[in-house]
Structure formats: structure tokens, C-alpha cells
Amino acid sequence: MRFTAGNAMMNLSPSPSGEGLGRGLSERGAAPAIPPPPPSPPLKGRGLNETQVNQAGFTLIEVVVALFIFGLLAAAGVALLSVSVRAQTATSARFDEMAALGRLNAALTADLAQAVERPARDENGLPLPAFRGEGSGPELLGLVRRGWTNLDDAPRAELQKVEYRLDNGVLRREAYGAVDGAAPLASTEMMVGVRQLKMRYRWQGAWSERWDSRPDAPLPEAVELQFVRQDGVALRALFLVGAGYVPPLPEGGPSAPAS
């Protein structure tokens, strides 16, 4: 079988073995062969060589060294922070101790300076001396003082019964709503951490470990307070009794007498 298209002629006559068909396609109308894809450019053409590719990233030794340095820096930071916290805690504790000493000194100075010769009675109606003191023990000091400020104009006297007690290392101040037969009000913690406390009372140049009011000596002249804190620091203070409250001098001191 023959087809004619222009000048092109294709012989499609079959042969018993098919050679005529295959020969006609290969000789006259065979399609061109598709070339294979070009090979990828080598790594050297991209700016990297084989050695550089193998060295990318960190080695195990480098990672271990970096972690070790980071651990040292973290440990140093934690140590510095702990030192700062301990210093702040110690400073705060010292400030609290100084404040407690100031409160105790102010309270004892005011109570002892304004002590009066006024006997009292306890909750059961039993009489109590105007001033009683023990050298040591739970109940250290008991007195009646004047000058109790009445800010709300309550119907009461200006006298107040006051006691100082040592309870399990805590020095407390107890005040009463009335001089005779009243129950104590809520106690105030004046100082904590007291290991040992001792009081002495002075009369006519002599010190005694105990004081009981007498008609000829209702009040001592002075009181000595000695105590040792839990940290071993020993303190001593002296207070005048019955001297009255003396207001602070004005700035510049007392005026000089005219000449």
C-alpha cells in the first residue's frame, strides 16, 4: 500500500516478516531520538567542596564544652543570688532587732518614769503593792503608772496597771483596762529570742534582786535590766523610777539666764 503526500512517499506494504514496515519508518519517517538530561553540575561549581560539606555543624566535643561553660555560668549566677538573699535576710533581721530594742527602751522609760505610789488589786480582788519586782522568773515587773493617754475620751482614769513577763524567750508587756480587778488586755511582744533576763533594783546606793514596796520605800530609785539574746549578745540598760516624763529640750537647748 502506498500513500503520496507531496514529494514524500511512504511504503507501507506489509511483508510476511514485517521488514517492509519497519524499514519504511526507519528510512523515511522515523522521529528524532530524545537526548538524555544534562548531568548536574559538580559541587565545586557551587562554591563548596567535599571537605567543607563534611565539616558543617558542631562536633560532640564542641557541644560538651559549650554545655560545660554554660553550667559554670549558671552555677556562678545561682551562688551570687543566694549570697544576695542571705545578706538581705541578715540585714532585715538586724533592723528588726534594732527596732525591738528601741520599742523596749521607750516603753520601759515611759512606764518607770511615770510610776506612782498607788497600790492595786488583781482579778480576784487581792491587794498588790504599788511596785513589785523579781530578779528573774515569769513575772518580772509590776507597777502602776500615770499618763495613760485617753484619745477617745473614754470614762476611765489616767492611771494604768502594767506588768512585764518573760514567756518562753519572749518578753511581753501586759496592760490592764483598770487598776483594780480588771483582766489584762492583749499582751504586746516587746522582744523575742531572749535567752536570759535579770533585773535589779536600787535604793540608797544598794542593789537588790527583789523589790517589795514598803511604806518608807514605795518605789526604787532606779531599775537595771540585763538580758542575753539567743545569739549570745548581752545588753544592759538603766532606768530612773518615778522621775516623771521630761519632754525633749527645744532646738538650741534651754535659754540662758539674762545677765
Side-chain angles (χ1 to χ4, degrees):
M1 182 181 296
R2 291 186 178 181
F3 292 92
T4 302
N7 296 327
M9 183 178 295
M10 183 179 297
N11 185 11
L12 298 178
S13 301
S15 61
S17 60
E19 294 179 357
L21 180 60
R23 185 167 50 254
L25 290 173
S26 60
E27 290 179 356
R28 298 179 182 180
I34 299 175
S40 299
L43 294 176
K44 294 182 180 180
R46 300 179 183 178
L48 295 175
N49 53 33
E50 186 177 357
T51 304
Q52 292 175 337
V53 173
N54 294 335
Q55 290 181 354
F58 297 98
T59 63
L60 179 60
I61 297 178
E62 291 173 342
V63 173
V64 171
V65 171
L67 291 177
F68 177 72
I69 295 175
F70 177 78
L72 290 179
L73 295 177
V78 172
L80 181 61
L81 180 61
S82 62
V83 169
S84 301
V85 171
R86 287 196 299 268
Q88 181 66 27
T89 303
T91 303
S92 178
R94 292 299 181 185
F95 282 148
D96 292 342
E97 291 175 359
M98 294 175 61
L101 284 174
R103 291 192 299 267
L104 177 61
N105 180 72
L108 280 174
T109 299
D111 290 341
L112 293 174
Q114 300 186 81
V116 295
E117 304 174 12
R118 166 61 161 86
R121 292 182 180 274
D122 61 9
E123 299 179 42
N124 299 322
L126 299 177
L128 297 173
F131 194 102
R132 58 195 183 279
E134 299 286 343
S136 59
E139 184 176 347
L140 297 168
L141 183 64
L143 57 95
V144 177
R145 55 158 292 179
R146 62 175 180 268
W148 185 13
T149 305
N150 192 356
L151 298 178
D152 53 357
D153 294 330
R156 58 171 176 80
E158 67 164 354
L159 298 179
Q160 185 181 36
K161 185 170 65 173
V162 177
E163 293 179 351
Y164 285 85
R165 299 175 180 273
L166 184 62
D167 183 17
N168 295 326
V170 180
L171 182 60
R172 299 179 180 273
R173 180 182 184 270
E174 290 185 350
Y176 290 78
V179 177
D180 299 317
L185 304 175
S187 62
T188 303
E189 289 187 358
M190 305 304 299
M191 181 169 292
V192 298
V194 179
R195 181 193 303 175
Q196 183 180 1
L197 192 146
K198 180 181 179 181
M199 280 187 169
R200 295 197 305 168
Y201 309 92
R202 184 179 178 87
W203 175 254
Q204 295 182 351
W207 291 96
S208 61
E209 303 290 337
R210 178 184 176 87
W211 182 267
D212 291 318
S213 296
R214 305 187 307 270
D216 58 335
L219 302 176
E221 298 173 348
V223 173
E224 179 190 54
L225 172 65
Q226 299 179 6
F227 65 93
V228 181
R229 300 188 310 199
Q230 293 292 346
D231 55 3
V233 177
L235 298 174
R236 177 176 178 266
L238 295 174
F239 305 93
L240 293 177
V241 179
Y245 175 71
V246 179
L249 296 176
E251 186 176 356
S255 59
S259 57

